[in-house]
Amino acid sequence: MTKRALLSVSDKQGLETFAKELSDLGYELVSTGGTKRAIEAAGIDVRSISDVTGFPEIMDGRVKTLHPAVHSGLLAKRNNEDHKRQMEELDLTMIDLVAVNLYPFKETIANPEVTEEEAIENVDIGGPTMLRAAAKNFEDVAVVVNPDDYRKVIDGLRQGDLPHGTRRELAAKVFRHTAHYDALIAEYFTGLTGEKDPETVTKTYEHVQSLRYGENPHQSASFYKEVKEDKGSLAYAEQLHGKELSYNNIQDANAALEVVAEFHAPAAVAVKHMNPCGVGNADSISEAFRKAYEADPVSIFGGIVALNRKVDRETAEQLSGIFLEIIMAPAYDEEAFDILTKKKNVRIMKVDPALEDTTEQKLVSVRGGLLIQDKDKGTLSQVELETATERAPTEEELEDLKLAWSVVKHVKSNAIVVAKGDRTLGVGAGQMNRVGAAGIAFEQAGDEAEGAVMASDAFFPMPDTVETAAKAGIKAIIQPGGSKRDQDSIDACNEHGIAMVFTKMRHFKH
């Protein structure tokens, strides 16, 4: 009995070869619209879908495969005598192979100028329906959604038939593909409505790479990216040199990119275990890195460095003198690249953190569920600083306060950052109480804390942190304010001549 293959593809890659090889294997080819024309142009015999359905393609191609003659051929079970009888009585023919890929919805909505009408016209209806029908009946119908699988299918058919395992793998790929496609459509239309908390949420991501392991060697891990392109993210970074990224590398590198993106002037950020350990701001990138390094020359060892300017020779020489896991920058001078690549294992990434962050939400998995929140994109430009103390900060102190506040936003709570002279001096991260975080930051800053400023990610519930800051020599503090006991902290600052400003914006990071 002659076997029948239905081909209807948006992506014509490999179509001509696949169609010819199917024809050579004795398959009768049936096709639609542009796919049929492409096969005919290659000199291969092919029937129109209208010959099978007895009904013309109508409504600009919106209706062509939605017909019992198509879906009975896909869904009929070959080992079901009743199905076979009905097919014979109705003079219907089995379809043994389907190759379909869908209208380019993802590519369509990637255009920032796309209209709703254009998006709607690229919502495929017949394609997903055929794919799902064929995948449901995969034991009898081979289904191909990705041109990369054409060769596997042809090789299997030449051996007599596709193994059951291969058929099931192809069906699984179809269900993933249609789920991904539908999730993109749902997300797009939900965005148009402006709904913040829809009754269900389906997020979809695309595979970037399998990782050697997760946080620890006994944990497996993979890296996936959002479909919406974000050139300033690690998912779209170009690795120019070094070993593959690990799970921990990706976590730390992402943290470094988010911190350095806060700065417009040349800036360098060193990160260890997802917390910034040194941040420098300067007129040149080499000076910015020097400041970041001097902020904590111990913790930077084995760390991640992100820079927001092209790396020059001077900066590369500084970087090469330290053991680093990853270096990230928008670009590298040829001489700088030659210096850095002398170290075989260091990962050198090309990524521009200054590009707009298009990610609007942060997703965190919890046991049995998912937490979703808006990303913390709060900046000082969105608030009016309020001087709470008798003394206002000087212009120099205010600049240091702004730097400290930009950094503390990215430090695990409870968080304290000490800064002076366009660089951090000490970072206290992830402590169970704020005084403990301050103690760590002041210990790291040492004598340099004298005359420095301090940022706190949340308000002071009591004046003990201010008292600790006064002993360390802190001259100005920035914090959200809003505690019932704010006045106690204000009084303590006034007593010690410390200027304190409120942002009225909290930056907890859990």
Side-chain angles (χ1 to χ4, degrees):
M1 180 183 294
T2 301
K3 289 184 175 288
R4 175 176 282 179
L6 173 55
L7 311 180
S8 180
V9 295
S10 174
D11 180 358
K12 305 296 191 293
Q13 173 192 337
L15 172 64
E16 179 181 332
T17 301
F18 186 55
K20 184 175 188 311
E21 290 180 309
L22 285 174
S23 182
D24 291 344
L25 285 167
Y27 277 78
E28 177 191 53
L29 304 186
V30 177
S31 193
T32 63
T35 306
K36 178 175 178 290
R37 289 191 292 274
I39 294 171
E40 286 176 327
I44 304 165
D45 289 339
V46 57
R47 293 183 65 188
S48 168
I49 193 69
S50 296
D51 293 343
V52 174
T53 63
F55 202 87
E57 296 184 22
I58 61 173
M59 301 177 185
D60 301 318
R62 278 190 166 204
V63 179
K64 51 194 173 190
T65 60
L66 297 170
H67 193 280
V70 173
H71 289 280
S72 60
L74 295 175
L75 288 166
K77 295 181 69 65
R78 276 44 167 186
N79 62 358
N80 186 308
E81 292 302 322
D82 190 44
H83 286 195
K84 290 167 67 175
R85 178 185 57 76
Q86 291 179 61
M87 293 289 287
E88 290 170 4
E89 288 177 355
L90 296 169
D91 195 25
L92 298 170
T93 304
M94 304 287 192
I95 298 174
D96 304 285
L97 183 146
V98 170
V100 171
N101 47 62
L102 309 176
Y103 294 167
F105 185 80
K106 181 182 80 169
E107 293 77 10
T108 300
I109 63 172
N111 178 4
E113 305 299 323
V114 67
T115 65
E116 184 176 345
E117 182 181 0
E118 289 170 333
I120 288 172
E121 287 307 309
N122 279 278
V123 174
D124 202 325
I125 303 300
T129 306
M130 286 190 290
L131 284 172
R132 287 174 61 84
K136 177 176 179 175
N137 201 23
F138 72 89
E139 292 183 335
D140 294 317
V141 182
V143 57
V144 194
V145 72
N146 190 328
D148 292 342
D149 290 322
Y150 288 167
R151 176 50 46 204
K152 178 195 296 186
V153 170
I154 292 297
D155 290 345
L157 293 176
R158 282 179 175 160
Q159 297 298 316
D161 199 1
L162 292 178
H164 181 272
T166 300
R167 288 174 172 271
R168 187 164 54 191
E169 287 172 8
L170 291 169
K173 184 175 288 190
V174 163
F175 287 124
R176 291 195 300 270
H177 184 78
T178 55
H180 177 66
Y181 192 78
D182 285 340
L184 289 176
I185 295 168
E187 187 171 45
Y188 174 77
F189 281 97
T190 300
L192 291 181
T193 67
E195 290 182 76
K196 295 293 289 183
D197 295 301
E199 69 284 355
T200 60
V201 171
T202 304
K203 295 289 185 181
T204 186
Y205 299 86
E206 296 178 344
H207 189 260
V208 177
Q209 67 184 93
S210 297
L211 304 174
R212 289 177 296 155
Y213 53 81
E215 283 181 298
N216 300 290
H218 62 276
Q219 296 168 270
S220 62
S222 297
F223 184 26
Y224 286 79
K225 65 183 178 181
E226 288 190 337
V227 176
K228 190 176 182 180
E229 193 171 89
D230 181 353
K231 290 293 188 181
S233 77
L234 197 65
Y236 291 91
E238 180 183 358
Q239 183 166 350
L240 305 177
H241 177 78
K243 297 188 297 184
E244 283 188 359
L245 294 174
S246 71
Y247 179 96
N248 291 336
N249 289 156
I250 291 169
Q251 289 269 57
D252 287 341
N254 181 67
L257 286 174
E258 292 200 338
V259 181
V260 79
E262 296 280 347
F263 299 95
H264 299 294
V269 172
V271 162
K272 199 76 171 287
H273 301 302
M274 293 184 66
N275 280 304
C277 59
V279 178
N281 213 3
D283 292 331
S284 70
I285 197 63
S286 61
E287 178 65 10
F289 176 72
R290 184 186 65 77
K291 290 183 175 183
Y293 170 76
E294 290 176 350
D296 190 346
V298 175
S299 296
I300 196 174
F301 183 85
I304 313 293
V305 169
L307 310 111
N308 63 358
R309 294 291 191 278
K310 179 189 284 188
V311 177
D312 55 21
R313 179 189 57 77
E314 184 180 354
T315 310
E317 287 175 345
Q318 294 179 75
L319 290 163
S320 66
I322 311 162
F323 167 55
L324 297 171
E325 291 279 0
I326 302 175
I327 299 167
M328 295 178 290
Y332 302 82
D333 284 348
E334 184 176 345
E335 193 175 3
F337 188 72
D338 289 342
I339 292 169
L340 294 174
T341 51
K342 288 178 181 176
K343 291 193 172 183
K344 183 174 68 173
N345 291 329
V346 63
R347 291 96 164 166
I348 299 176
M349 312 293 293
K350 182 180 178 182
V351 57
D352 189 351
L355 295 172
E356 181 186 0
D357 180 1
T358 60
T359 306
E360 297 299 328
Q361 293 181 319
K362 181 179 180 181
L363 281 62
V364 177
S365 62
V366 296
R367 183 170 179 171
L370 184 71
L371 288 171
I372 301 178
Q373 68 167 348
D374 291 341
K375 287 194 71 174
D376 184 358
K377 295 187 177 182
T379 65
L380 288 179
S381 64
Q382 298 166 345
V383 300
E384 186 174 340
L385 294 179
E386 174 189 324
T387 300
T389 49
E390 295 169 358
R391 185 175 82 80
T394 65
E395 285 299 318
E396 186 177 358
E397 288 170 345
L398 187 59
E399 289 305 307
D400 289 340
L401 287 170
K402 290 178 180 178
L403 181 142
W405 184 251
S406 295
V407 176
V408 81
K409 167 183 173 182
H410 299 278
V411 179
K412 273 283 199 192
S413 300
N414 286 315
I416 296 290
V417 171
V418 178
K420 182 170 65 176
D422 287 331
R423 72 177 175 96
T424 56
L425 300 176
V427 177
Q431 297 307 299
M432 286 64 73
N433 63 74
R434 199 157 298 282
V435 179
I440 292 171
F442 297 142
E443 182 180 358
Q444 185 183 337
D447 293 341
E448 290 189 89
E450 182 67 42
V453 307
M454 181 184 85
S456 172
D457 64 330
F459 63 60
F460 303 140
M462 52 192 68
D464 51 1
T465 306
V466 173
E467 296 292 348
T468 304
K471 290 176 183 176
I474 294 297
K475 295 303 181 187
I477 295 173
I478 187 168
Q479 57 124 324
S483 169
K484 292 180 180 179
R485 298 184 61 180
D486 272 348
Q487 193 58 49
D488 291 349
S489 294
I490 293 169
D491 291 344
C493 283
N494 287 333
E495 181 183 344
H496 295 288
I498 297 173
M500 184 162 66
V501 295
F502 290 165
T503 64
K504 300 176 184 177
M505 177 187 288
R506 192 179 74 182
H507 281 315
F508 269 159
K509 184 180 181 187
H510 282 77

